[in-house]
Amino acid sequence: MNPHRNRRITIAAAAAVVLAFTGAACSDDGGGGGGDDKITVGIKFDQPGLGLKTPDGKYTGFDVDVATYVAKELGHDPSDIVWKEAKSADRETLLQRGDVDFIAATYSINEKRQEKVDFAGPYLLAHQDVLIRADDNSITKPTDLNNKKLCSVTGSTSAQNVKTKIAPNAQLQEYGGYSECLTGLENGVIDALTTDDSILAGYAAQPEFEGKFKLGGFKLSNENYGIGVQKGSELKDQINKALEKMVADGSWQAAVDKNLGPAGYQNEPAPKIGVIVQ
């Protein structure tokens, strides 16, 4: 065999390998959705209907559906997503350290947080509300919470807000978690549970609670849920485009109905990107 020809074949083969690697690198830069092209997303692991890690290792909820849709628009298959728990107190740190690419975890946009991170969205307008037993007709307006046992989770300001601003005679009960409040509500030990209506709806929509509770519909505050990204990240604009598309093609409303609808959750229309309701 001609040695010069053999050398030419080797060079051509090497060039083909280089081109292949170059192409793959370009694909990864653009978020091509390949199996090695991972994206890390922060969610809640303990909020049914919003962000929940199930015992069999799956992830469900409205925030999960939104994050999955956004990741797809960024070029990532669902199998590319690495889910990371984003507890409320850890969210800014996770973003600042680069431990996650973005966070969708009932993350209300406010000025204090905007000093540390950027937000895409908002993608849901929630409100502080109360959850009561379905057969309880004694609480029809916020002031009816006076002299009622009102439950919230330790460390939350929701119940204190009600007592300070609306029902000074409410009897506050602090429990370690929402599940404990729900058990107390179901058993009649407490009369109402307060936090964001989306969180309440997520719990009440679970099969074991379906039909047992109802939302008050009081709209005690405005909570603009955004997707957190690192300060100055180019992902913000890309995520905003993805959210607009999700609303336009009906996927957003379908995700609300699937995850929160069974609790009779009356969602606000999808918010306009960049519009924060005070």
Side-chain angles (χ1 to χ4, degrees), residues 181-200:
C181 283
L182 280 164
T183 302
L185 185 59
E186 188 177 11
N187 297 338
V189 177
I190 61 166
D191 301 304
L193 160 61
T194 186
T195 188
D196 295 358
D197 54 7
S198 57
I199 296 173
L200 295 173

Side-chain angles (χ1 to χ4, degrees), residues 254-272:
V256 173
D257 293 343
K258 181 183 85 172
N259 293 292
L260 306 175
Y265 180 61
Q266 300 295 314
N267 65 279
E268 296 278 7
K272 300 292 183 196

